[in-house]
Amino acid sequence: VSAYESALPYAQTLGIEMVSGVEISAEFNNVSIHVLGYAFDLKHAELLKFLTDLQHTREERNLEILAKLSQLGMPISWE
């Protein structure tokens, strides 16, 4: 979502119509699913908060994975 505004001017110069989009990974009844959302309001406060919280959770999980890999002798940097 955050890349939309920076990509929009480039799309316009190329004559490409951009549509907002997001993919949310989830699990339902022990089945991994991917929910796709298109053409939503990029300024919807509740949705933006949800997506920001989701991104922070993912970043925290990634840091935990990196720490475990480091403990196993496979250090990998965040970058």
Side-chain angles (χ1 to χ4, degrees), residues 7-59:
L8 185 58
Y10 297 108
Q12 289 172 335
T13 61
L14 297 171
I16 298 171
E17 180 181 352
M18 283 188 45
V19 177
S20 58
V22 67
E23 176 182 6
I24 301 172
S25 298
E27 189 170 307
F28 180 73
N29 289 338
N30 294 321
V31 176
S32 180
I33 61 172
H34 301 275
V35 179
L36 305 178
Y38 297 104
F40 53 86
D41 180 4
L42 290 166
K43 297 185 190 308
H44 189 281
E46 290 178 47
L47 178 60
L48 291 177
K49 181 179 180 343
F50 172 76
L51 294 173
T52 299
D53 291 347
L54 195 61
Q55 184 175 7
H56 286 268
T57 300
R58 191 173 340 144
E59 289 171 358

